Amino acid sequence: MFKPAVIFITALLPLVSVAQDVASSAEQREPEVTLEPHLHTDGDRIFWAKPGLEPLFFPPGSRTAEQEPGFGDLILEDLEGQLPGYRHHELRANYARLISEIRAGNPVCGILHRTPRREGFIAFSNTLAFPPSYKLYVKAGNRQVFENIAGWEEGAVAFADVLQSKRGLRMAHTASHSYGKALDEVLARYHSHLDLVRGYAGQKSLVKMLLAGRVDVIIEFPWVVNHHLESLGISSDELHSMTLTEAPAYEPAYIGCPKNDWGLHLIDHLNQIEPPLHERMKNYIEIWLKPDEVEDYRAAFEAYFGATPTDPTPAEESVPE
């Protein structure tokens, strides 16, 4: 019988980026710029932070011709089209760099979750998007084993119940990554119960480890898992997902900018865009959800905002002219 083990996977975190300015041609696109620490620029420039988390954003050259654009790319293409008075740049940055640049007051913005701690130095827009939050995944063929170990039968599962099990459950999750206050507290609470094995890989490797039976459970965003299963040519039926009782099924995301005059002015501009941000962005996420997940997403969206997303149009037609 195995000891319970949590394998830590280090990866870039879901931050943000920018795609091509919709009002410009590729030739008119501003070149990619890397900010130096504490570099302040003139007020008409925005640096959009971009991580390597697929399919929020795709690193250059990583997306095949058949794949849809990242939904973060579509979101920011849309926003750039609504901000014609600014010059837009990409900033390839991990989570720590993004937060550091915003804290320094530099003209850097990104797609972020809102927390009380961040509100001290980050100005947040109205709700931008409403993506599905983390789920627990097991290999479909091992579902019975998981049920026996975790005492789970059907429906949502308590993350605390899973972690406190001492009957040989192997779990992988991303190191140095916040899963939100509630899930982080559960991880911290049972930290001493676990044998920690450190590894280095991205989300795709994490999914492959689960498929290969090297771990029994992973925690991840549905849209991330769906993308990597598709890229591997694996049916989504190979994995079974469970909602976690300690976390919301969907978690609002926002544009975050420095909490200074520049950032507050930009956020005010974004909040005045019509239709509201969430209405403009509501269909971009659906590209990366399974049909049953789309149905659940639309119901949750309607309950949260009082409006239902319409049927998504093809990606090349969904970006405003």
Side-chain angles (χ1 to χ4, degrees):
M1 181 173 293
F2 296 102
K3 291 184 178 181
V6 171
I7 297 177
F8 282 70
I9 309 298
T10 50
L12 294 175
L13 305 180
L15 308 178
V16 228
S17 138
V18 120
Q20 178 178 329
D21 186 337
V22 198
S24 305
S25 67
E27 290 73 24
Q28 294 171 314
R29 171 100 173 117
E30 289 285 343
E32 183 173 316
V33 176
T34 299
L35 288 179
E36 297 299 326
H38 312 299
L39 173 65
H40 292 265
T41 62
D42 47 273
D44 67 345
R45 306 175 87 185
I46 304 174
F47 294 83
W48 298 99
K50 183 172 185 176
L53 184 71
E54 301 176 10
L56 181 64
F57 297 100
F58 285 93
S62 65
R63 183 168 68 92
T64 66
E66 294 76 25
Q67 285 179 320
E68 301 284 0
F71 67 85
D73 288 312
L74 293 176
I75 285 173
L76 290 174
E77 285 177 0
D78 191 312
L79 292 185
E80 287 191 25
Q82 302 302 311
L83 298 168
Y86 290 86
R87 290 176 289 161
H88 303 277
H89 303 269
E90 287 184 1
L91 175 64
R92 298 197 172 275
N94 59 22
Y95 172 83
R97 174 74 185 281
L98 169 60
I99 297 300
S100 176
E101 295 289 357
I102 292 179
R103 190 189 293 272
N106 288 327
V108 176
C109 298
I111 299 173
L112 293 167
H113 290 305
R114 188 171 187 164
T115 68
R117 184 177 181 180
R118 291 176 179 176
E119 287 177 341
F121 61 96
I122 298 179
F124 288 97
S125 68
N126 293 338
T127 304
L128 173 75
F130 194 59
S133 188
Y134 292 102
K135 289 187 176 183
L136 211 61
Y137 284 86
V138 299
K139 191 174 180 180
N142 294 340
R143 177 174 168 173
Q144 186 62 55
V145 174
F146 176 79
E147 291 178 0
N148 295 337
I149 292 176
W152 172 81
E153 295 182 358
E154 193 58 67
V157 62
F159 195 35
D161 290 348
V162 173
L163 290 192
Q164 69 184 350
S165 171
K166 297 183 179 181
R167 288 172 285 178
L169 186 67
R170 299 164 300 167
M171 179 180 166
H173 79 93
T174 306
S176 304
H177 181 61
S178 173
Y179 294 94
K181 182 179 179 181
L183 295 179
D184 286 347
E185 287 179 351
V186 173
L187 282 170
R189 189 186 318 154
Y190 294 104
H191 183 274
S192 62
H193 292 199
L194 304 167
D195 291 332
L196 305 180
V197 181
R198 291 192 175 274
Y200 296 89
Q203 282 81 0
K204 186 173 184 176
S205 293
L206 186 150
V207 171
K208 290 170 71 174
M209 288 169 65
L210 181 60
L211 290 168
R214 293 176 58 193
V215 295
D216 301 308
V217 183
I218 64 172
I219 180 172
E220 191 51 87
F221 292 117
W223 38 274
V224 170
V225 171
N226 294 343
H227 161 62
H228 288 306
L229 287 175
E230 180 182 354
S231 70
L232 292 167
I234 304 294
S235 168
S236 60
D237 295 336
E238 290 296 313
L239 297 182
H240 180 78
S241 65
M242 290 155 281
T243 301
L244 295 159
T245 59
E246 296 93 338
Y250 300 85
E251 189 168 1
Y254 309 81
I255 291 294
C257 300
K259 203 169 189 177
N260 54 23
D261 289 344
W262 179 88
L264 290 168
H265 177 76
L266 177 57
I267 291 297
D268 182 63
H269 190 147
L270 291 174
N271 288 342
Q272 294 182 46
I273 291 174
E274 292 294 340
L277 295 177
H278 67 273
E279 284 289 324
R280 302 185 65 86
M281 313 302 167
K282 59 189 177 183
N283 298 323
Y284 295 152
I285 294 170
E286 294 187 1
I287 296 172
W288 300 100
L289 300 180
K290 298 187 296 183
D292 60 321
E293 292 173 341
V294 170
E295 184 177 350
D296 291 343
Y297 165 72
R298 292 184 177 188
F301 189 100
E302 182 174 11
Y304 189 85
F305 294 110
T308 305
T310 56
D311 288 328
T313 54
E316 61 271 19
E317 299 176 6
S318 61
V319 180
E321 294 297 330

